[in-house]
Amino acid sequence: MRHALQIIGIALTGMLLTSTARADEFLESLAPDQSVHGFRTANLYDNATGQAMGARFMSEKYGFTVDLVQIESVPQAFYWIKTPITASRGEPHACEHLLLGKGRRGQYVAALEDMTLSNSTAYTEQYRTCYHFNTVAGPETFQKVFEAKLQALLHPDFSDEEIRREVCHIGVVVDPEDSTLSLEEKGTVYTEMVSSFERPYYNTYRRVYQLVYGQDHPFTHVSGGDPNVMRSMTPQNMWDFHKATHHLANMGAVISIPRSVSIGDFLRQLSATLDRCQDYPDSSALPGIGKFSFPSHQAAPSGTSLLVNYPSDRAEDPGYLLYSWPADLALDFREQAVLTIFLDAFANGENSDLYKLFVDSRTRSTNIGATAVSGWIEEDFGLPISFDVTGVTSSLINQRLLDSVAAMIIDAIRGVHDLADNTPELVDFNTRVRNRLIEFRKRMENNLNQPPMFGFRSGPAGAWLNVMKDLESSPGFRKSLILMDRIVYIDSLLNLSGNIWRERIDDWRLLTVKPYAVGATPSAEIVKANAAAKEARLAGYVEDFKKKYGVADAQQAIARYKAEFDANTAVIAKASAEITMPEFIPNPPMTLDDQLDYQTIKLANNVPLVASTFDNMTSARIGLALRLDVIPESLLVYVPFLPSMLNQIGVIRDGKAVTFDEMQERLRLEVLNLSAYFSHGYSTGRA
C-alpha cells in the first residue's frame, strides 16, 4: 500500500570550524597592475583566514571587469550591466526578457542551456541588470555557454516585432462561444508591470524617492517600466538603449571556478572569448560595478509630506508610512558601515527599538496595527536614511498620524543620542549592535562556505555582487571578501567607553532635519479609474484600426488587424524554425555536482551521514532529517506545527524559559542560522 512519509528537517549554519583553506600559489604571486593574459590585476581577494581565494582582473583591451573566485563547485558566472535610465519605458527590464530568449541568438542560448544542464535567471535593478547561470557539464561546456550568452547580450538579432510583442502590443481575443473579436493590451513585460503597479510599492516608495531626488531623476524612473509610459515605447528606443549600455567596458562578471581549473588557462580562454565577442577596443571613465555619473538631485523642501493612495478594492488592506531624510550625506566606507549596522539594531528585527515601539504588543506605545518596521540607506547616491512602518490600519492614516509617527521615530533616535556614557541602557544597545556585527561576519563567511548559487532565484547570488561593489570603495590592493576592515573598525568603536552614537546621530542630522513623509492607503477609486481608462484606450484602438483599414465595422477592423498580426507571427515562427539547435552533451554528469568532495558513512544504529568539504570553510553547516512516518495517524495533524515550535518561539532549557528575544540574540552569537521545515511525500510499501 502507499503511505505518507513525513520529514522534519533541521539545519544549523555557521558554527565555528577550523578552516581547511589552502593558499593558491598563482593568486598569491599576483602583484598590483600585473598583466596576465590580456588582463590587468586590480585587486586580490582574501577569504576569512586571510588567504587569497580570488582576484579582480580588468581587460586591458576592452575594460571588461572580472571578479574571479575559487569555490569547490560547478563553474558559474554572474553578468552585470550598468543600465541607468532616463525614462520609465522599462528598457532594462525588456532587455532581461529579450536578450536571452528572442531572436536566433537568444533562442539558441535558451536551447543551449537546456542541452547543457544549465540553470539561469536574471533580474533588473534600478540602474543595473543582472544575468547569472551555472552548468554541471564541466569547465569546457561552461566556457561555451559563457560565450554564447555574452554574444547574445552584445549582439541581439531579434526583430522589431518581437520587441513589440515582448514589451507591449495590442492582442486579439476570440470569444470561444460566438467567435466575436475583441482587443486586449498584452506583452510579457507590460502585463508584469501592470500587476506590479497594482501593489503598494510603486505607488508609495516611488513618491518618497521623487521627494528625495526630484521628479525627473534616474532614481525616480521605473527600470521595470511604468505601464503608462511603456505603451509609448518604440523598437528604436530599445535599440538606442542597448547600443548605449551593452558593451564590454560597461559590464563585467563575477565568476566562480573550482581549484581543478587553472586560473591562468581560464584567463587565457576568457581573453580569446572577449576578442570573439567584440571587435573594437573599449574603455570606461567609471569602471567597476558601483561607479556612475548621476545628475544632481532636485529635492523637495525637507519635511514635505504627502498622503497618497494605491489601487485596491479592499478598504481593509493595510496602509504604509514611509520617511526619508535628504540624500546629502558624505560618509566614507567605514562610517557608512557604522550607519548601516546602527539602522539594523535600531529598526530591523524583533529586538529592534522601532519594532518594540510600534509592533510588539508587550511594549508598543500605541497600537496602529503595524506588523513590521525597517530602516535602510540607499548606498549609491547621497545615502538617504529611510524608515517604513507597514501593515498600519488604513483608516487611521491622516496627516496627524503621519506627523505623530515621525515624531515618535525621532524621539526614539534622540533616546539613543542622549544615553549617558556607561549606562546599562547604552550597554544593552551596543550589545545588540555587537550581536548584529557578529551575525554579519558569520553571514559573510558563510557566503564563502557554499556555492554562489548563480543561476538560482534563492541563495547568495546577489550578495556576491554587492560585496564586489562594496569592495570598490575600500583602498588598497588586497581586500577581504568578508569586509574585515569594516568589521574591525566597528568592533573598535564598540570597545570605547562613551556613547559613540551621539556625535554620529548629529552628523547624520536625524534630529535637526525634518524627514520627507508619505502615508499610503488603499483606494477603490483608482481601480475604477484604471479600468475606465483601459476601456477607453481599447475603444480608441478600434477606432484607429477602422481608419487604418478603411472600414466602418469594429469586427471587420479587428479581423483585418488580426490577419496582419497572424502574418507577422508566421514570419517569427519561420525564422525560429531555421535555427540550428545545439545537441545534448555527450557525457552528462550523474550528479548535480560531480567534483564535490564528500564521503558517506554510517553512524550508530545504521544512521546514514553524508559529509562534504569546501576549501574556504571557516564554519560548519549541519542538517538533520527525521522520519516521522512512525507517528500514529491521529497525531499527524500536529506535525506541520513542529518547525514553528522549534524556531519561532522561545524554548525551555534546564527548567528555565528562554524567551524568543533571548533566543534570537543567542542565535546571532552562537550560530548563523537555525531553520526547520516540514515536507511530505508518498512512498510505496507493504502493510
Side-chain angles (χ1 to χ4, degrees), residues 520-582:
T521 54
S523 170
E525 293 304 313
I526 296 179
V527 177
K528 294 177 183 177
N530 288 344
K534 179 180 178 181
E535 186 176 350
R537 288 195 303 273
L538 293 175
Y541 300 143
V542 173
E543 293 304 314
D544 290 342
F545 293 153
K546 287 181 181 179
K547 294 177 183 178
K548 178 181 179 179
Y549 299 113
V551 297
D553 180 70
Q555 288 294 300
Q556 285 183 320
I558 298 174
R560 292 282 296 274
Y561 172 74
K562 183 177 184 300
E564 185 177 301
F565 188 92
D566 291 344
N568 289 332
T569 301
V571 172
I572 295 173
K574 183 176 183 296
S576 298
E578 295 172 352
I579 301 172
T580 302
M581 289 298 184

Side-chain angles (χ1 to χ4, degrees), residues 204-386:
T204 55
Y205 287 76
R206 187 183 180 194
R207 301 299 294 273
V208 169
Y209 296 147
Q210 288 173 341
L211 295 176
V212 173
Y213 297 111
Q215 292 290 324
D216 197 35
H217 192 276
F219 280 20
T220 63
H221 295 309
V222 183
S223 60
D226 180 335
N228 290 324
V229 183
M230 292 174 67
R231 290 191 291 270
S232 66
M233 181 198 282
T234 67
Q236 192 59 48
N237 292 142
M238 172 62 70
W239 291 121
D240 291 344
F241 175 82
H242 181 271
K243 182 179 179 180
T245 56
H246 287 61
H247 54 96
L248 289 178
N250 196 52
M251 57 192 297
V254 184
I255 302 174
S256 170
I257 58 174
R259 281 181 175 270
S260 58
V261 177
S262 163
I263 295 176
D265 290 345
F266 183 86
L267 291 175
R268 186 183 297 109
Q269 293 179 52
L270 182 57
S271 182
T273 295
L274 298 184
D275 283 336
R276 290 190 293 269
C277 289
Q278 186 164 303
D279 60 3
Y280 60 90
D282 207 354
S283 63
S284 172
L286 296 169
I289 301 169
K291 297 177 182 178
F292 292 86
S293 178
F294 290 121
S296 59
H297 52 282
Q298 304 295 322
S302 62
T304 301
S305 62
L306 298 173
L307 291 172
V308 303
N309 301 115
Y310 67 87
S312 175
D313 283 324
R314 293 166 46 89
E316 65 272 22
D317 276 354
Y320 297 79
L321 305 178
L322 299 98
Y323 302 91
S324 286
W325 273 255
D328 55 7
L329 292 182
L331 304 176
D332 66 20
F333 69 97
R334 297 189 306 177
E335 286 297 329
Q336 184 174 316
V338 175
L339 173 54
T340 298
I341 203 163
F342 168 84
L343 294 174
D344 196 28
F346 179 75
N348 298 327
E350 291 85 352
N351 291 347
S352 69
D353 297 70
L354 290 193
Y355 187 91
K356 293 181 180 299
L357 181 63
F358 292 113
V359 182
D360 193 330
S361 60
R362 300 167 301 173
T363 59
R364 63 192 177 199
S365 298
T366 181
N367 182 11
I368 58 174
T371 57
V373 293
S374 59
W376 70 95
I377 56 173
E378 296 290 351
E379 297 181 355
D380 293 312
F381 191 73
L383 304 177
I385 299 169
S386 300

Side-chain angles (χ1 to χ4, degrees), residues 638-687:
Y638 300 108
V639 172
F641 297 100
L642 283 178
S644 298
M645 299 287 288
L646 288 169
N647 66 0
Q648 294 185 21
I649 63 173
V651 297
I652 303 295
R653 180 175 180 180
D654 298 328
K656 179 183 176 182
V658 179
T659 67
F660 176 75
D661 292 352
E662 293 176 278
M663 187 174 76
Q664 288 293 98
E665 294 303 314
R666 287 195 59 179
L667 287 174
R668 289 189 172 98
L669 285 170
E670 298 171 24
V671 300
L672 173 64
N673 182 55
L674 167 66
S675 61
Y677 61 90
F678 163 77
S679 66
H680 65 89
Y682 290 91
S683 61
T684 302
R686 296 188 177 184

Side-chain angles (χ1 to χ4, degrees), residues 30-217:
L30 294 174
D33 294 319
Q34 180 177 342
S35 182
V36 185
H37 303 302
F39 292 90
R40 174 181 61 82
T41 306
N43 292 111
L44 199 62
Y45 294 140
D46 287 346
N47 62 17
T49 61
Q51 296 177 340
M53 68 169 288
R56 167 166 287 191
F57 300 98
M58 304 295 296
S59 170
E60 295 172 314
K61 185 176 180 182
Y62 302 108
F64 186 76
T65 303
V66 178
D67 290 308
L68 188 65
V69 295
Q70 289 183 318
I71 295 179
E72 292 309 300
S73 184
V74 298
Q76 44 200 287
F78 187 113
Y79 294 101
W80 53 264
I81 305 171
K82 295 180 182 179
T83 52
I85 51 178
T86 58
S88 295
R89 291 183 295 263
E91 290 97 336
H93 189 191
C95 281
E96 176 194 328
H97 283 249
L98 287 162
L99 291 174
L100 300 182
K102 302 300 178 182
R104 294 171 181 265
R105 278 203 167 97
Q107 291 181 66
Y108 177 85
V109 168
L112 181 64
E113 289 179 345
D114 290 338
M115 294 296 100
T116 56
L117 303 179
S118 299
N119 291 292
S120 70
T121 189
Y123 62 90
T124 302
E125 296 181 329
Q126 183 63 20
Y127 33 80
R128 196 180 295 110
T129 309
C130 303
Y131 306 82
H132 49 105
F133 79 100
N134 71 73
T135 177
V136 299
E140 290 185 6
T141 301
F142 169 81
Q143 290 279 4
K144 182 178 180 180
V145 177
F146 184 96
E147 180 170 341
K149 291 174 79 73
L150 188 56
Q151 289 279 14
L153 291 173
L154 293 174
H155 308 293
D157 59 0
F158 41 74
S159 65
D160 288 356
E161 183 65 17
E162 286 176 291
I163 294 175
R164 283 186 285 265
R165 296 200 178 188
E166 192 68 18
V167 177
C168 182
H169 68 277
I170 307 304
V172 177
V173 179
V174 182
D175 190 296
E177 294 185 0
D178 59 13
S179 298
T180 57
L181 305 177
S182 60
L183 298 180
E184 182 58 273
E185 294 175 334
K186 293 189 175 183
T188 305
V189 183
Y190 180 78
T191 53
E192 178 182 336
M193 294 311 298
V194 168
S195 175
S196 295
F197 266 70
E198 293 171 350
R199 304 185 187 114
Y201 175 85
Y202 287 100
N203 297 276
T204 55
Y205 287 76
R206 187 183 180 194
R207 301 299 294 273
V208 169
Y209 296 147
Q210 288 173 341
L211 295 176
V212 173
Y213 297 111
Q215 292 290 324
D216 197 35
H217 192 276

